[in-house]
Amino acid sequence: MRLDEASSAPRVLIYSHDTFGLGHLRRSRAIANAIVACNRGAQAMIVSGSPVVDRFAFAPGVRTVRLPPVTKFADGNYASLDAATPLARTVEQRSAIIAQACGTFRPDLIIVDKEPAGFHGELLPVLEGAADRDIRLVLGLRDVLDDADRLVPEWERKGAIETMVQFYDEIWVYGLSRIHQPLAALPMDPEIAARIDARLIYTGYLRRDLPERRAGREEPAIADGPFILVTPGGGGDGAALIDWVIAAYEADPAIPLPALIAFGPFLDTATRDGFAARIRALGGKIAAITFDSEIEFLLRKAAGIVAMGGYNTFCEILSFDRRAILVPRTEPRREQAIRALAAERLGLARVLMEAEGRTPGRMAAALRDLPEQDPPSRVLVPGLLDGLDAVARRVRALTARGSADEETRPCLQAYS
């Protein structure tokens, strides 16, 4: 690399609090990999609280820093994953690690995932020092945050609007306004609303491609032929979906296509063992794996997908043009339900809401119909999957120090 090229290459730190599941980490990974793929000489650092960050591959030029993990309870409260450490102490440790990483890496730009002040305000020291160090700040939001009744009191309690206005140069929404406007429900006076609107950019959804296949990768035999992939993401809140699919095959053994269930790394052991016993009794109609860090290969091969409707899986359904049944959770957030129902209105997926009846026959009928659904590509939605290219362009614009004719390269991903 030439010295002038190195001096102009963007350095981007991505903060991802990752208190639960895989969603924040996988979104941050896709963005980091795209930044280094699309901007010559770029480097990215992901600072993440995910306990499984080390189980993923990243593109050359992307490094990771792991924060002490925390866990989230059903009532919305948090605790240190290490039960012997008070949460306040863990937050102090995380904040110190973030500050040290920022000082060592010397980013030109920090992209903050979802939480304007970070988990329990742990990012505030870095935000407060960013201007003095000539660091640009971007808040990145998924397409849907939550129902207004839940989002408004949460963001008011955290002072999120004030933090956005005080610190952030731009706010990126990784979606389309015609599908959802995540900040529209927040009460803001006209002046504040205008300032937020001036910084708001809808990028489109984040396209996913197949990652570089690792040596020795093996897949279950069921994936050699047509199959339905059932994926509840991290699995920590996916037991109800898995149970419903297994019950459908128990009630209707003649469902034409077999299913492969990816339990997810956070499904508790006792529940997983119970599901495994029921699956064995079905005589090969369902197979199961615990976790696949390259699940994109299975998504691409599947005849159809059954999922909860989290952001990353939705992006993959669109990217690989898979027919899908979405079974969104509604607690502790309605995010998945809002996204899924918007997708169904556009004709991008089918939705089964548990509140409308969780009978085995209802799921079995949907599984029978799945191979005949229209794929998402039958619906033309301009800009739907332009997110990574838009992110790469904005990174270049916010960090440009090189010559004016040095453009971002086409965002062709070797990693997803």
Side-chain angles (χ1 to χ4, degrees), residues 154-301:
E154 177 187 345
W155 275 45
E156 287 181 342
R157 184 181 72 253
K158 294 177 177 179
I161 295 174
E162 293 81 0
T163 302
M164 282 194 297
V165 173
Q166 180 178 356
F167 294 113
Y168 286 95
D169 299 289
E170 293 185 354
I171 301 162
W172 300 344
V173 177
Y174 306 124
L176 295 179
S177 60
R178 68 176 293 186
I179 292 180
H180 191 70
Q181 299 179 38
L183 301 180
L186 296 173
M188 293 181 268
D189 66 51
E191 179 184 352
I192 295 296
R195 292 170 68 180
I196 294 292
D197 189 61
R199 306 175 196 184
L200 193 60
I201 296 171
Y202 286 87
T203 66
Y205 289 89
L206 305 178
R207 181 186 297 276
R208 307 302 167 88
D209 295 309
L210 293 177
E212 183 174 308
R213 184 186 291 266
R214 70 177 183 271
R217 173 180 170 79
E218 297 181 358
E219 293 178 351
I222 202 170
D224 292 339
F227 70 98
I228 294 170
L229 178 65
V230 183
T231 170
D237 54 2
L241 170 63
I242 296 169
D243 174 72
W244 198 2
V245 170
I246 295 174
Y249 281 90
E250 289 170 335
D252 185 357
I255 294 172
L257 293 183
L260 172 61
I261 298 176
F263 287 138
F266 302 120
L267 182 68
D268 71 85
T269 302
T271 302
R272 185 178 66 234
D273 290 347
F275 287 150
R278 292 168 64 190
I279 288 170
R280 286 193 296 271
L282 287 169
K285 290 298 293 184
I286 300 179
I289 58 175
T290 297
F291 176 63
D292 187 346
S293 64
E294 299 173 337
I295 200 170
E296 295 91 346
F297 288 104
L298 295 175
L299 284 155
R300 182 66 183 87
K301 292 174 68 173

Side-chain angles (χ1 to χ4, degrees), residues 106 142 166 332:
R106 304 188 311 278
R142 63 182 182 231
Q166 180 178 356

